[in-house]
Amino acid sequence: MALENHLKETSKSLVKHVKSDKVGRGRIFFTVTNNGSIADVKMVETSNYSDVDEALIKIVKNLPRKWTPAQNENGKKVDQEFVFTFGRAGF
């Protein structure tokens, strides 16, 4: 998955100090709007490393391109929520 690969590569230097037995399961929600932009980025579970949490929120807010918006059954572009998990149970 392109998003997962981008997040892994972009955050690699940020997680060098993370101890695998201390990291929690972090989760970030965000919305791809009907015009393809990223909105409403929020941390809903922390990894127990606030600097990593904050960096990943910043990375998601600044994803490098527009997204293709979801469409409903009538072909109308709609907002879509995403969640990704990182840390102990994620990438």
Side-chain angles (χ1 to χ4, degrees):
M1 167 187 237
L3 174 61
E4 184 177 322
N5 290 337
H6 175 75
L7 294 171
K8 281 181 181 179
E9 287 302 313
T10 308
S11 65
K12 198 178 280 188
S13 66
L14 304 169
V15 297
K16 288 181 180 180
H17 67 288
V18 172
K19 296 180 180 170
S20 60
D21 62 333
K22 303 272 190 225
V23 69
R25 180 181 70 177
R27 289 191 327 151
I28 294 179
F29 278 84
F30 66 96
T31 300
V32 175
T33 66
N34 61 12
N35 70 5
S37 62
I38 303 296
D40 301 324
V41 180
K42 55 191 161 211
M43 177 74 54
V44 293
E45 283 185 61
T46 181
S47 68
N48 298 327
Y49 287 88
S50 61
D51 59 330
V52 172
D53 294 348
E54 291 170 15
L56 283 169
I57 287 172
K58 184 176 180 179
I59 290 168
V60 171
K61 284 182 176 181
N62 295 301
L63 285 169
R65 63 178 176 85
K66 286 249 184 203
W67 289 53
T68 303
Q71 294 183 6
N72 66 16
E73 63 277 357
N74 299 320
K76 180 181 177 186
K77 294 178 181 177
V78 295
D79 292 353
Q80 184 175 18
E81 286 188 346
F82 287 86
V83 62
F84 71 88
T85 303
F86 62 97
R88 183 167 289 161
F91 70 87

